[in-house]
Amino acid sequence: MPEAIRRQVADHPCYSEQAHHHFARMHAAVAPACNIQCHYCNRKYDCANESRPGVVSELLSPEQAVRKALAVAAAIPQMSVLGIAGPGDPLVNPERTFATFRLLAEKAPDLKLCVSTNGLALPDAVSELARHNVAHVTITINCIDPDVGAQIYPWIFWQGRRVRGREAAAILIEQQQKGLAMLAERGILAKVNSVMIPGVNDRHLVEVSKAVKAKGAFLHNLMPLIAEAEHGTFYGVMGQRSPTPAELKALQDECAGDMALMRHCRQCRADAVGLLGEDRGAEFTMEKVEAMEIDFDAALQRRLEFRAAVAAELETKRERAPQASPVTLHRRAPRPADDGRPVLMAVAAKRGLVFEHFGHAREFLIYEASAAGAKLIGHRRAAQYCFGDAECGEAEDVLAQTIRALAGCEAVLCSRIGWEPWRELEAAGIQPNGEHAMEPVEDAVMAVWREMLAAGRLVRSVAEQRCA
Amino acid sequence: MTLAIIESCVNCWACEPLCPNGAIVAAEPFFAIEAAKCTECLGDRPAPQCAEICPVEGAIVNELDEPLNPPGSLTGIPPERWAAVRREIAAR
């Protein structure tokens, strides 16, 4: 990754794997209107217990959004980014979106601005984005073939008409590709999100990854489809399945040879607040925000100090390990035949450390440890008790669900763990490990891997050795 | 000749800027069309703009209370399938 881009994303949690351990963002839910329908989205949805794109609890005016952003930025010095990601499409609500950016830039010029769009209105918005110093744009691109697109997008609104089927997909694809190229020309960093939909675009995404790289995208984020019947989406209701973690990883590995891949995405709500994976939105409802007293200058000072401290810490780390880069380039390297096999491990992490009690973790970071080092390959959500809608259901035991979510992992690292989950994890073939509490995640993962290697548990099978 | 917005509206604002007559009001608890101003876009646009962009089936109706976007027409979910799934979820 070029040094200029590395610096540009160094404190953006959604664009840099390293930054996401330290920096927080807020999504301002000011953009309700949308100009397309995707089969994984339901425009009617709002549930405080759900976390996924397109879901919000409270729609804000630009003034309210800025008030909230300043409150968040005062309470959370890690805050470095304000993004607009919906609940519709920011560029279909240009007045609200750009008013939010304008007002925020006056009061908190240190915050980076970004948008996430479906791309249909992007070519017409690029100049305006540049004028407002929006330095990061994410486009969701699920296909470059209209026949594939016709299975994902039932309609788009285009030039005063609802256009359907293949024709709709063809227009959308053309606009997305045009918009992407225009961003690259302007030097605005473009990340591409793609939703992996088994049987629909899963094979096609390899081609998409190559195409968007050629057009100038600097980072590709392959995300699993979220589809549950109770979400009321086309895919959910029609029984379209989501990819398994193993299928997603295989696709990511296949695309990794072509471009930088993002593996730390949490598929946030359109009103998410805080560090990725720890939503603090409930602390900042408009009612609470209105009651907060804020010293803007002191808050700005705290943010700048925090950023300087993190930069210094990361600089030290980089000097210690010169190959580290904020976005990991996952390339397939030739393997020596006598090294141990790679192992997946789950980590109850916070701020880059083995931090949490197993039972308190809301999510686990998944690392692949091998002789080449520890590499983040994704995250899995821990099962949570849902106190929401009765329709959500609570059929299965929470511990059993979490253990199922960790399928494929051979160890789980946490700060502490109770006796019962310990026993159940062991029975499921996942070794709990509480010996590395508060250590940096990657060091801890590698220490556990080396212990497994020394214990002779990582010998490759004959077939694997032949492949290597 | 006038359209109306009914309670299934999700207040997404998509229709409001498109109306050539400025007939759409951000009313509470859901948006409304000022009947006197609505022309169903005749002469201005190829089709009623609010109904063309509205993402919610059934939310916009004509004078006969017929939805311009009937069930299944926007999501592609067959209504009988949706009904069956809802029964299934309720029974859990």
Side-chain angles (χ1 to χ4, degrees):
Chain A
M1 169 156 306
E3 179 64 14
I5 293 184
R6 192 185 66 73
R7 287 190 182 281
Q8 207 178 334
V9 299
D11 58 0
H12 195 314
C14 310
Y15 287 71
S16 158
E17 180 180 317
Q18 196 170 48
H20 102 280
H21 293 305
H22 305 281
F23 292 101
R25 50 75 185 102
M26 174 186 139
H27 288 170
V30 297
C34 196
N35 51 1
I36 72 172
Q37 176 70 52
C38 305
H39 272 331
Y40 43 75
C41 180
N42 175 3
R43 304 298 313 289
K44 283 186 260 191
Y45 208 83
D46 167 30
C47 171
N49 300 301
E50 275 288 332
S51 182
R52 60 199 165 82
V55 171
V56 300
S57 293
E58 204 176 16
L59 182 69
L60 306 181
S61 69
E63 293 73 20
Q64 287 175 314
V66 169
R67 168 96 199 150
K68 177 171 170 178
L70 293 171
V72 170
I76 306 178
Q78 293 99 323
M79 166 124 167
S80 60
V81 172
L82 179 105
I84 300 182
D89 189 285
L91 305 181
V92 187
N93 305 261
E95 281 168 26
R96 294 160 156 266
T97 294
F98 292 118
T100 305
F101 288 155
R102 209 162 40 240
L103 294 169
L104 188 75
E106 286 166 16
K107 303 244 172 71
D110 62 308
L111 297 179
K112 286 194 158 75
L113 308 176
C114 64
V115 296
S116 181
T117 176
N118 64 48
L120 183 60
L122 180 57
D124 295 330
V126 170
S127 299
E128 196 71 3
L129 287 167
R131 226 184 342 269
H132 285 84
N133 291 318
V134 177
H136 305 76
V137 172
T138 296
I139 317 173
T140 300
I141 298 181
N142 296 318
C143 55
I144 50 171
D145 175 348
D147 288 319
V148 176
Q151 301 170 61
I152 302 171
Y153 307 103
W155 57 264
I156 66 169
F157 180 80
W158 180 246
Q159 297 177 344
R161 281 195 312 129
R162 199 188 306 270
V163 181
R164 298 169 188 267
R166 194 179 186 281
E167 186 193 354
I171 295 166
L172 177 63
I173 290 165
E174 194 188 330
Q175 291 289 101
Q176 289 171 335
Q177 295 297 318
K178 192 171 155 192
L180 176 56
M182 288 170 74
L183 291 175
E185 274 165 30
R186 292 278 191 140
I188 299 175
L189 283 184
K191 167 163 79 71
V192 168
N193 282 353
S194 298
V195 182
M196 179 188 186
I197 310 159
V200 175
N201 70 347
D202 47 348
R203 299 310 311 149
H204 180 56
L205 285 176
V206 177
E207 210 183 315
V208 171
S209 200
K210 289 194 172 90
V212 298
K213 185 198 180 191
K215 279 264 164 47
F218 91 107
L219 186 60
H220 195 190
N221 176 21
L222 292 158
M223 308 180 293
L225 170 70
I226 300 173
E228 302 288 344
E230 48 270 46
H231 296 164
T233 60
F234 175 87
Y235 284 145
V237 171
M238 301 305 277
Q240 166 68 48
R241 72 174 182 90
S242 302
T244 64
E247 286 171 326
L248 179 67
K249 180 177 182 299
L251 177 67
Q252 288 174 331
D253 288 346
E254 195 172 347
C255 295
D258 294 310
M259 75 178 296
L261 274 200
M262 170 172 179
R263 310 242 190 178
H264 64 278
C265 178
R266 302 298 199 281
Q267 295 175 282
C268 312
R269 297 163 57 93
D271 58 3
V273 170
L275 287 152
L276 268 54
E278 322 173 4
D279 191 17
R280 293 177 62 180
E283 297 169 39
F284 299 96
T285 60
M286 271 332 285
E287 199 188 334
K288 291 180 186 166
V289 164
E290 301 288 2
M292 290 177 190
E293 296 265 344
I294 303 163
D295 181 339
F296 299 118
D297 294 332
L300 174 63
Q301 207 48 46
R302 275 199 301 278
R303 291 198 296 278
L304 296 179
E305 280 164 17
F306 175 81
R307 267 170 240 168
V310 171
E313 186 192 324
L314 295 182
E315 200 52 48
T316 317
K317 232 175 148 183
R318 212 166 13 247
E319 277 163 14
R320 218 181 49 188
Q323 77 282 6
S325 115
V327 170
T328 315
L329 289 164
H330 303 291
R331 297 190 189 284
R332 273 163 291 189
R335 301 184 299 209
D338 59 344
D339 67 356
R341 63 183 171 80
V343 172
L344 294 188
M345 298 186 202
V347 188
K350 219 172 208 180
R351 321 236 151 101
L353 305 175
V354 178
F355 196 91
E356 290 203 286
H357 191 292
F358 177 81
H360 295 163
R362 299 183 71 88
E363 62 166 20
F364 295 89
L365 297 186
I366 308 297
Y367 280 82
E368 184 178 76
S370 70
K375 117 184 153 180
L376 178 70
I377 62 156
H379 80 287
R380 311 236 183 113
R381 284 188 193 156
Q384 295 289 322
Y385 290 99
C386 176
F387 300 105
D389 201 316
E391 287 191 356
C392 289
E394 193 59 57
E396 204 184 348
D397 169 49
V398 167
L399 177 59
Q401 279 185 53
T402 299
I403 290 176
R404 200 154 46 88
L406 299 182
C409 298
E410 294 180 50
V412 57
L413 281 63
C414 50
S415 65
R416 298 186 67 182
I417 179 168
W419 168 241
E420 195 204 337
W422 182 292
R423 205 180 43 205
E424 303 259 327
L425 279 161
E426 252 185 354
I430 304 170
Q431 182 59 49
N433 186 316
E435 289 164 25
H436 298 275
M438 301 312 287
E439 289 177 24
V441 169
E442 295 181 11
D443 296 351
V445 164
M446 287 315 292
V448 173
W449 186 80
R450 281 190 297 270
E451 283 163 24
M452 292 172 82
L453 184 68
R457 292 177 54 198
L458 305 182
V459 181
R460 290 172 191 280
S461 69
V462 176
E464 279 174 332
Q465 282 181 23
R466 211 171 283 140
C467 290
Chain B
M1 281 279 300
T2 180
L3 302 176
I5 295 175
I6 65 170
E7 73 281 355
S8 51
C9 165
V10 294
N11 301 337
C12 82
W13 289 86
C15 57
E16 193 262 356
L18 298 179
C19 179
N21 304 309
I24 294 170
V25 193
E28 301 273 345
F30 51 90
F31 281 50
I33 295 174
E34 278 184 51
K37 289 188 181 172
C38 176
T39 60
E40 297 192 11
C41 294
L42 267 185
D44 286 312
R45 301 283 189 279
Q49 293 298 283
C50 54
E52 286 293 283
I53 200 167
C54 181
V56 180
E57 292 163 354
I60 296 180
V61 298
N62 64 17
E63 283 177 341
L64 304 172
D65 276 343
E66 292 162 342
L68 275 71
N69 297 303
S73 66
L74 300 185
T75 60
I77 303 171
E80 57 283 3
R81 169 85 189 178
W82 183 217
V85 165
R86 276 161 68 174
R87 279 197 300 275
E88 203 178 287
I89 292 169
R92 273 181 205 168

